[in-house]
Amino acid sequence: MNSLYLIPARGGSKGIPHKNIKLLNGKPLIQYSIKVARELADDADICLSTDDPQIKLVAEQLGLKVPFLRPDYLASDTAGTSDVIVHALDFYSQHGKQYDAVVLLQPTSPLRTVQNVKDCLALYTPEYDMVATVKESSVSAVLCYENPEGYLEQVIGGNNVRRQDAEKLYEYNGAVYVINAKAVKEKGLGGFTKIKKCLMTEENSVDIDTILDWKLAEILLDSLNNIGY
């Protein structure tokens, strides 16, 4: 299977300014995803898609050539991931290179491992729209709403269901997506119906969106570095 390893790194982070190039345990955040991609693919098949010249510069200082800067319509808060993926596929197609699948590695998952990606690739077949990493969720045991009388009611399973007996649910963790290139062009991510899960641990599933997430990632990475990660 011919795969494009795509690392989307928009410049306009609001929660954590310049998040994608902020130093996490001494390394720019994007470096963690670049490192994983390089364990699995040649640089020619790794695309860092960004609208930000500063992010482009940092990636190229790490030795990764950045083939383009995203157009303005893909740099806004409302730009869809499907459009970013298709833009990258079209760019390479125009330069004579076709891909069967896209391995999407979001920079906000620095604890994702090479093995996590390999596990997704092992599950993927062309009949699927996508294989996506998930973590087990506790939401079925704790998610409640306030009823018209002002009392809490559990959304799933009823108030008397013990946590260990609650229905098992999963959350997308954003770490790895193996995406059918033909399917994303034809119907976009929102139209996918054939999605297979690949389970990851809670620790490896850290997705950095807030400063609290950042601090947690620092602690976990520091712990892993102490054991030779």
Side-chain angles (χ1 to χ4, degrees):
M1 185 174 66
N2 197 18
S3 299
L4 175 65
Y5 286 72
L6 181 62
I7 302 170
R10 192 170 63 88
S13 174
K14 291 185 174 64
I16 304 175
H18 307 294
K19 175 172 64 178
N20 286 315
I21 53 175
K22 181 178 170 67
L23 296 184
L24 177 65
N25 283 27
K27 300 175 184 177
L29 184 60
I30 57 171
Q31 186 171 348
Y32 292 90
S33 295
I34 292 171
K35 180 178 183 292
V36 167
R38 280 175 158 167
E39 293 285 331
L40 296 160
D42 294 331
D43 278 11
D45 296 317
I46 301 171
C47 174
L48 188 134
S49 172
T50 186
D51 60 299
D52 190 325
Q54 194 172 1
I55 294 176
K56 179 177 184 287
L57 176 62
V58 171
E60 292 185 338
Q61 287 172 342
L62 295 169
L64 181 68
K65 182 180 178 182
V66 177
F68 55 76
L69 284 175
R70 281 190 217 168
D72 289 343
Y73 77 93
L74 292 177
S76 69
D77 289 340
T78 57
T81 303
S82 293
D83 294 332
V84 171
I85 295 168
V86 171
H87 173 262
L89 287 170
D90 286 346
F91 174 87
Y92 284 96
S93 178
Q94 290 163 14
H95 289 78
K97 199 158 192 178
Q98 308 293 330
Y99 290 100
D100 305 307
V102 174
V103 181
L104 188 72
L105 303 176
Q106 299 190 127
T108 49
S109 298
L111 284 108
R112 163 224 303 117
T113 68
V114 172
Q115 189 59 51
N116 293 144
V117 183
K118 286 181 177 179
D119 290 343
C120 285
L121 289 168
L123 286 171
Y124 178 81
T125 73
E127 70 187 72
Y128 299 149
D129 293 328
M130 179 168 71
V131 173
T133 50
V134 299
K135 64 178 180 178
E136 287 192 19
S137 175
S138 61
V139 71
S140 59
V142 299
L143 190 64
C144 302
Y145 68 95
E146 188 175 36
N147 68 22
E149 288 75 40
Y151 300 115
L152 290 179
E153 290 191 24
Q154 196 161 312
V155 172
I156 301 171
N159 291 330
N160 295 320
V161 175
R162 301 182 304 164
R163 181 186 295 271
Q164 59 266 40
D165 297 330
E167 180 182 358
K168 187 172 289 188
L169 298 178
Y170 303 95
E171 297 176 37
Y172 289 109
N173 64 8
V176 187
Y177 300 90
V178 180
I179 299 164
N180 186 311
K182 181 181 178 183
V184 75
K185 285 185 174 183
E186 290 179 350
K187 50 190 176 182
L189 297 175
F192 284 2
T193 55
K194 296 179 179 179
I195 303 171
K196 297 291 287 185
K197 78 175 191 304
C198 185
L199 188 62
M200 282 175 55
T201 65
E202 182 81 19
E203 293 80 6
N204 290 112
S205 295
V206 172
D207 181 26
I208 296 178
D209 186 48
T210 66
I211 289 294
L212 184 59
D213 298 331
W214 189 279
K215 295 297 184 184
L216 177 58
E218 283 183 330
I219 292 167
L220 291 172
L221 283 167
D222 189 53
S223 175
L224 289 169
N225 286 337
N226 287 337
I227 60 173
Y229 175 70

